[in-house]
Amino acid sequence: MPSPLDIIGGYRLLDLWATSIQNWSATPAHWSRDPRSTLGLSVARPNGFLSARRSARAGLTSFVTTPRRSGVDCQPHVPKCSQGKRGLMAIFHSPELDMKFARDGFVVVRLIDEHVADALGRRCRDSLPADIPAHENVTYIYTDEPELAWIEDVAGPVFDEAMMPLLKAMRRLHPSIIVKPAGERAVPPHVHPIFTLDQSAPTVFCWCALEDMRDENGVMQVLPGSHKLFPIMPMYGQEPYFLRAWDEIAGRMEPVYLKAGEAMLFDESLIHASMPNSTGRHRLALATHCIPQALEPIALFPESNGQYRVYETGADFGYQYHIRPDLIDPSERWTTLGYVDDVHEQVDPDEFWRRLEAGEHITLTYPLVPRAQPAAPARPSMLRSAARAIAKRIRQHA
């Protein structure tokens, strides 16, 4: 079996998320209805462009599910994290930052001054390949490839010297450069995949601007307080758990106008998006993921009977986060922790807004407590089968 590095080769370029929106009447004009954006994930290689499988339907695809409680046959050791205010783990040494993060799901801090940000931006532009493919969000991530070591040289000191001292009992993972190419469309509201077994513990994404963010160059947008509202299990190719509240969410997203050198640190489950880049210049940012020191990165790979197998990926975090599951055999590379159910349910819009307004957040580690063996095939009830058939018919004729 080839390693992920063998599969990718040379530069690793990744299109983040699936970003097509279709058949929703209140979709803002800056969110694309172009079917070509139904790519869930793609990887560019030195000798060409390898695209992920396209979605089965031309609609928004994302990586989110809302699991329900299921039986547990085995409970492997799952490290527990210390809990802070509001039932969520304390993240920052600063009580002020911690309180704001718990309330809003994000904070804005300055990591470097504007002159340093400008210098780093120039180095990135000189080091990035000239043929950046046309897509609304392209990421170059460094794990261990010599040709991408410059990313660690550029971003590593920023995160280690300016970001990490702010965080409490956290560790950062691989650094990356995020490119929003000139003239590219918007990224619609989405959340990031889960990376640990404890969903109550925050995984933090740091997005550091290398230039001032404006409406015309793709400013980031967030829905404040939308983090950890439900125990979600994001995976490739699934509609977002908040789809039924989509239109109102679209109208309530708020821009975050970062200055060069400022960073937004946000919970990966926070609903976020970005505007189009209508300028003639690529927009660049530094980025990295942070997880609690007590936890290990995990990956979910689809199995039969509506289940996922859980793997502990360790130092290969960059691989599991960005590589299509069908490109590698994870059982030959990573340790299996067990199985969890894939239960994709969209939440009721009224319950979504009720939780958001009340500031309710999950505090439990469920649902990712893997079983030692896969569950037997479940026989769906006649009512559930009929409901799914009707929903499928509606989607087909929408």
Side-chain angles (χ1 to χ4, degrees):
M1 162 195 154
S3 71
L5 184 57
D6 295 330
I7 293 171
I8 294 172
Y11 275 104
R12 179 177 307 157
L13 176 144
L14 310 140
D15 296 330
L16 287 182
W17 321 127
T19 59
S20 175
I21 301 174
Q22 196 168 20
N23 297 327
W24 285 288
S25 59
T27 299
H30 59 258
W31 289 340
S32 171
R33 294 171 184 264
D34 184 348
R36 78 186 177 97
S37 64
T38 56
L39 290 176
L41 185 69
S42 58
V43 180
R45 308 172 66 179
N47 59 348
F49 188 72
L50 173 64
S51 65
R53 293 174 297 180
R54 292 182 178 271
S55 171
R57 58 185 288 265
L60 175 69
T61 57
S62 187
F63 310 96
V64 185
T65 65
T66 303
R68 61 173 178 265
R69 190 173 299 277
S70 59
V72 176
D73 300 323
C74 173
Q75 295 190 22
H77 173 66
V78 180
K80 297 295 189 294
C81 296
S82 61
Q83 300 297 307
K85 296 181 180 179
R86 303 187 135 222
L88 298 178
M89 173 186 169
I91 301 171
F92 297 92
H93 290 289
S94 164
E96 181 181 355
L97 289 178
D98 216 44
M99 185 176 299
K100 189 177 188 310
F101 190 93
R103 182 191 66 210
D104 300 333
F106 74 99
V107 297
V108 173
V109 298
R110 175 163 291 282
L111 297 185
I112 51 179
D113 66 36
E114 295 180 0
H115 300 294
V116 174
D118 182 67
L120 294 180
R122 289 197 303 270
R123 181 174 178 187
C124 289
R125 294 180 193 280
D126 291 340
S127 302
L128 286 167
D131 55 343
I132 295 176
H135 197 273
E136 64 269 23
N137 212 31
V138 177
T139 293
Y140 293 84
I141 186 170
Y142 171 71
T143 53
D144 55 8
E145 308 91 325
E147 65 271 27
L148 294 180
W150 64 269
I151 296 178
E152 175 65 35
D153 294 340
V154 169
V158 175
F159 297 135
D160 292 340
E161 298 173 16
M163 178 193 71
M164 292 307 297
L166 302 175
L167 301 176
K168 183 177 182 179
M170 301 286 283
R171 58 174 168 141
R172 77 166 174 93
L173 302 173
H174 303 297
S176 59
I177 306 295
I178 297 181
V179 183
K180 192 175 189 73
E184 274 300 322
R185 56 193 179 274
V187 176
H190 63 281
V191 299
H192 290 174
I194 54 175
F195 309 127
T196 71
L197 284 171
D198 188 344
Q199 292 198 65
S200 68
T203 53
V204 179
F205 190 68
C206 179
W207 197 98
C208 181
L210 295 182
E211 59 189 278
D212 292 350
M213 292 293 100
R214 310 182 306 277
D215 289 339
E216 58 268 26
N217 70 351
V219 65
M220 290 278 284
Q221 300 170 300
V222 299
L223 181 62
S226 61
H227 60 300
K228 299 196 179 302
L229 296 180
F230 299 88
I232 59 175
M233 189 169 70
M235 276 302 299
Y236 300 129
Q238 292 171 329
E239 292 174 331
Y241 78 96
F242 51 84
L243 182 61
R244 294 170 62 188
W246 179 271
D247 292 345
E248 190 171 353
I249 288 174
R252 292 177 59 171
M253 299 295 288
E254 299 181 7
V256 181
Y257 294 104
L258 299 174
K259 295 293 186 181
E262 289 184 334
M264 181 169 68
L265 278 69
F266 61 93
D267 191 289
E268 310 260 13
S269 65
L270 182 75
I271 297 175
H272 60 285
S274 69
M275 297 282 283
N277 181 5
S278 59
T279 72
R281 174 184 172 92
H282 297 336
R283 185 209 69 189
L284 306 181
L286 308 179
T288 193
H289 303 266
C290 301
I291 66 172
Q293 292 177 353
L295 300 179
E296 290 294 329
I298 57 99
L300 303 179
F301 280 76
E303 293 283 333
S304 60
N305 301 331
Q307 299 169 93
Y308 287 101
R309 185 180 294 193
V310 184
Y311 292 92
E312 187 172 84
T313 58
D316 284 345
F317 167 81
Y319 294 147
Q320 69 94 354
Y321 178 50
H322 288 296
I323 291 182
R324 287 168 44 192
D326 59 325
L327 289 182
I328 63 175
D329 181 357
S331 62
E332 295 184 9
R333 188 174 188 93
W334 300 317
T335 302
T336 300
L337 298 180
Y339 300 82
V340 294
D341 293 331
D342 170 27
V343 184
H344 179 47
E345 295 181 351
Q346 295 172 13
V347 301
D348 178 75
D350 291 338
E351 178 65 8
F352 176 90
W353 295 113
R354 187 195 69 76
R355 292 197 181 199
L356 181 70
E357 297 299 334
E360 292 186 11
H361 303 289
I362 62 171
T363 59
L364 70 172
T365 61
Y366 167 82
L368 287 186
V369 180
R371 295 181 295 269
Q373 300 296 328
R379 184 175 182 178
S381 67
M382 294 180 61
L383 180 61
R384 181 176 290 274
S385 298
R388 288 178 176 173
I390 292 172
K392 181 178 180 180
R393 194 173 307 152
I394 292 173
R395 288 196 300 269
Q396 290 175 341
H397 292 87

